[in-house]
Amino acid sequence: MIKKNFIPIILFLVMFAYAATTSVQRIVLIGDSTVATYAVSKYPMAGWGQVLGQFFKAGTVQITNLAAGGKSTRTYISEGHWAKALATLQKGDVLMIQFGHNDRNTSDTSIFTDTAAYRKNLIQFATEARARGAHPIFITPMNMNQWDKGQLRRYFTMGAYDYRGVMIRVAAEMKAPVLDLEEKSAKMMDTLGYEYLSKFHFLGLDSGEYPNFPKGSTDGTHFQEMGALENARMISEELARLRNDSIASILAPSLAPLYKVTVASLPDSVSLTTKSRYYPKGANITLKIRLAPQRAFLRWTDASNNWKVIDTLKRITFVQDSFARTIVAVSANRTASENQPQENISGLRQQGKVLINSTNEMIEIRDITGMKITASSQKEYATSQLPAGFYIATFPSKPQLVTKFLVR
């Protein structure tokens, strides 16, 4: 039997344990404009710090974004931003530090900071944060959309301007984790290429594409919201990779699950669309398509929801839920006579579990991602031999003509 005198103690311990497991982890961000939060009047411009909270489970973190545009490590300190940030730090906070873009800017002496001073300033951030009981995490600066003869310029690793290397060495000296966003962003950019990055990732906007940028933009440093999400996702991946680190382990267990948004075009290989990616619940997703002049856009359809039509605009936005989805952009060639898109194939129809081909032409059958499943010139093709799902049928000689069918 438990003595009455022990009941208050037990209740206190239970309440303390509950509070410990439900406490919200504070994260303070310092950095430049690539990290900063932007007003609605700047949409779609966004920094990764603006969306980072979406990659954590609801209610587990509180993010204070104190990044300031146009600041190097030197000016962040000299203009008083660091003093204000330091004053907000509490014991147990995580301080995320990303600088480099303005430190590296040799064309502006008011902000340029050489690597020796950069090193000194990084050490100051970490040392003074630890004195207040906070935990520093370094983040190397992501790459900009600068290329030379088809090769990405690793702007923060070049010769005397190896800011990435300096940050990694400071982190090692101070036994602090470093999230290598420079390395991860370089690999990502090499995969996607300049054209895609310009219009889907960085703030490269056409005239009239967004009301806040009526004249468009050719910015290869800052991000559209989807680019900010890409960087935040890479940061979450780095935290997961370092989950055994004593500091990264504070945040890693709170990372939110991600759900795949598969984006396909129909027909395939005739347009440039937002890439398939993984996103957390609550993320604001924007999908876009860029077409050649001879192409006409038809619609976005949700192939994971019985090909439900989402919209007929070339840009759509939705909030990600806790399930995977497949979104397909459907387009077609314009006819010379009426300059209107054609969609249905004459002479090809589904009847029950049979695809009927009333022509002598070869047909191709693909899945919703555009992968070729089979080709056939049969008058009747038994669709029952296909796995359940949605399929696309075309004549190779008339790829602009499309029909789709369901196999249950």
Side-chain angles (χ1 to χ4, degrees):
M1 179 179 292
I2 299 176
K3 294 182 179 180
K4 291 183 178 180
N5 292 344
F6 287 104
I7 293 177
I9 297 175
I10 293 172
L11 288 175
F12 172 79
L13 292 173
V14 170
M15 292 176 65
F16 178 80
Y18 176 78
T21 58
T22 58
S23 61
V24 176
Q25 174 63 50
R26 284 168 43 94
I27 303 173
V28 177
L29 310 178
I30 63 172
D32 53 39
S33 56
T34 62
V35 187
T37 296
Y38 293 87
V40 174
S41 61
K42 292 291 186 180
Y43 182 82
M45 187 176 183
W48 63 255
Q50 184 171 338
V51 298
L52 181 64
Q54 298 172 6
F55 286 81
F56 292 93
K57 297 172 185 175
T60 61
V61 301
Q62 174 190 327
I63 295 180
T64 302
N65 190 357
L66 301 179
K71 307 307 172 189
S72 60
T73 55
R74 174 166 61 86
T75 57
Y76 196 83
I77 294 170
S78 65
E79 295 178 8
H81 297 282
W82 171 237
K84 292 178 181 178
L86 187 61
T88 69
L89 290 178
Q90 302 174 13
K91 184 177 181 180
D93 287 356
V94 169
L95 175 70
M96 289 188 168
I97 305 163
Q98 184 214 278
F99 285 95
H101 285 77
N102 298 301
D103 296 79
R104 174 69 170 83
N105 189 354
T106 56
S107 64
D108 189 344
T109 57
S110 69
I111 57 177
F112 171 70
T113 309
D114 64 26
T115 53
Y118 180 71
R119 177 182 185 279
K120 175 178 173 291
N121 296 335
L122 293 179
I123 291 173
Q124 179 180 342
F125 292 145
T127 301
E128 294 181 357
R130 281 176 170 170
R132 293 187 65 88
H135 309 293
I137 293 180
F138 293 106
I139 302 175
T140 59
M142 78 292 290
N143 282 276
M144 296 186 291
N145 199 23
Q146 295 188 2
W147 300 70
D148 183 16
K149 298 178 181 178
Q151 297 296 314
L152 177 68
R153 292 186 67 202
R154 301 282 292 269
Y155 195 66
F156 302 104
T157 65
M158 301 168 66
Y161 307 108
D162 186 13
Y163 292 85
R164 171 183 178 262
V166 170
M167 180 176 278
I168 289 173
R169 288 191 290 274
V170 167
E173 291 171 22
M174 303 202 71
K175 295 182 173 55
V178 58
L179 313 182
D180 198 356
L181 189 56
E182 194 281 335
E183 177 72 16
K184 285 188 73 72
S185 67
K187 291 180 179 178
M188 176 271 294
M189 292 175 69
D190 277 334
T191 300
L192 297 179
Y194 176 81
E195 181 184 3
Y196 179 86
L197 293 164
S198 297
K199 295 300 184 180
F200 291 81
H201 184 84
F202 289 96
L203 202 64
L205 310 175
D206 295 336
S207 297
E209 184 178 359
Y210 285 92
N212 292 328
F213 295 84
K215 296 182 179 180
S217 171
T218 56
D219 188 338
T221 299
H222 302 99
F223 311 105
Q224 298 180 44
E225 187 175 33
M226 295 300 285
L229 283 169
E230 185 90 351
N231 281 283
R233 180 185 54 77
M234 288 189 285
I235 288 171
S236 72
E237 289 174 349
E238 284 288 276
L239 286 170
R241 181 180 68 84
L242 297 175
R243 63 174 58 250
N244 293 327
D245 176 88
S246 60
I247 305 305
S249 64
I250 297 173
L251 300 178
S254 297
L255 292 171
L258 304 181
Y259 305 93
K260 189 173 185 180
V261 176
T262 300
V263 185
S265 60
L266 175 61
D268 59 323
S269 304
V270 297
S271 59
L272 192 61
T273 61
T274 303
K275 299 297 183 183
S276 303
R277 284 292 186 268
Y278 289 84
Y279 300 104
K281 180 180 179 180
N284 195 59
I285 309 301
T286 297
L287 304 183
K288 299 197 293 186
I289 183 170
R290 296 181 67 83
L291 294 164
Q294 69 272 21
R295 301 293 300 177
F297 184 67
L298 297 176
R299 65 183 66 87
W300 291 97
T301 62
D302 187 347
S304 49
N305 186 16
N306 200 29
W307 288 86
K308 178 182 178 182
V309 175
I310 301 173
D311 211 323
T312 56
L313 299 177
K314 291 183 181 179
R315 184 180 76 242
I316 59 170
T317 300
F318 61 90
V319 177
Q320 175 59 22
D321 210 325
S322 55
F323 52 81
R325 62 180 72 198
T326 298
I327 310 297
V328 180
V330 182
S331 66
N333 279 342
R334 298 178 184 274
T335 64
S337 58
E338 56 186 24
N339 202 35
Q340 292 295 321
Q342 301 296 307
E343 182 184 13
N344 296 319
I345 295 181
S346 175
L348 185 62
R349 70 183 190 278
Q350 185 184 22
Q351 182 173 314
K353 296 183 178 181
V354 175
L355 190 65
I356 299 175
N357 178 6
S358 60
T359 74
N360 293 322
E361 294 190 62
M362 178 74 68
I363 60 170
E364 286 186 350
I365 299 175
R366 300 174 181 267
D367 64 17
I368 55 174
T369 67
M371 181 178 292
K372 183 177 176 181
I373 303 299
T374 188
S376 173
S377 58
Q378 296 173 236
K379 292 293 185 182
E380 295 186 359
Y381 179 81
T383 60
S384 57
Q385 61 187 291
L386 298 171
F390 287 93
Y391 294 88
I392 302 150
T394 64
F395 294 121
S397 62
K398 302 173 183 176
Q400 74 275 18
L401 300 178
V402 176
T403 194
K404 52 185 178 284
F405 60 93
L406 172 65
V407 176
R408 298 185 183 277

